[in-house]
Amino acid sequence: MVVYNFKKIRTVPTSQDFIDIVLSRTQRKTPTVVHPGYNIGRIRAFYMRKVKYTQESFSEKLGWILEDFPKLDDIHPFYADLCNVLYDR
């Protein structure tokens, strides 16, 4: 018999909180200063690094949410019916 631990599912943050979390993490983990006199290639690389890090952070956070949530087709029929009733699946 499979035991379902629904309490371990992480709370999904609101969209604004999600954006704030990812952007603050990006700000802390990547360089933050572009000095005058940098050539355009270096400035472009600076911002591309920030964009790529932000994309990886969004992907990581969304992946965690999807991994934690059980697949409705794989859970016991009782829980599937309960989700259908409660959330109009």
Side-chain angles (χ1 to χ4, degrees), residues 1 4 6 72 75-86:
M1 174 149 181
Y4 302 102
F6 294 112
L72 294 180
I75 62 174
H76 191 276
F78 170 77
Y79 294 117
D81 289 341
L82 183 63
C83 286
N84 285 336
V85 169
L86 292 177

Side-chain angles (χ1 to χ4, degrees), residues 3-21:
V3 176
Y4 302 102
N5 188 1
F6 294 112
K7 291 185 179 193
K8 78 172 189 116
I9 298 173
R10 294 182 184 146
T11 305
V12 178
T14 64
S15 60
Q16 191 59 46
D17 289 342
F18 194 71
I19 291 169
D20 291 342
I21 290 166

Side-chain angles (χ1 to χ4, degrees), residues 7-66:
K7 291 185 179 193
K8 78 172 189 116
I9 298 173
R10 294 182 184 146
T11 305
V12 178
T14 64
S15 60
Q16 191 59 46
D17 289 342
F18 194 71
I19 291 169
D20 291 342
I21 290 166
V22 171
L23 291 181
S24 68
R25 182 176 176 195
T26 300
Q27 191 69 12
R28 283 180 305 179
K29 299 285 186 177
T30 58
T32 56
V33 178
V34 175
H35 296 287
Y38 280 174
N39 65 10
I40 190 70
R42 188 169 178 184
I43 295 171
R44 183 177 292 130
F46 172 85
Y47 285 110
M48 284 303 297
R49 182 176 175 189
K50 283 190 170 292
V51 169
K52 286 183 187 287
Y53 189 85
T54 303
Q55 180 268 327
E56 289 171 2
S57 296
F58 272 117
S59 178
E60 180 181 311
K61 296 277 186 198
L62 289 173
W64 286 343
I65 292 168
L66 292 175

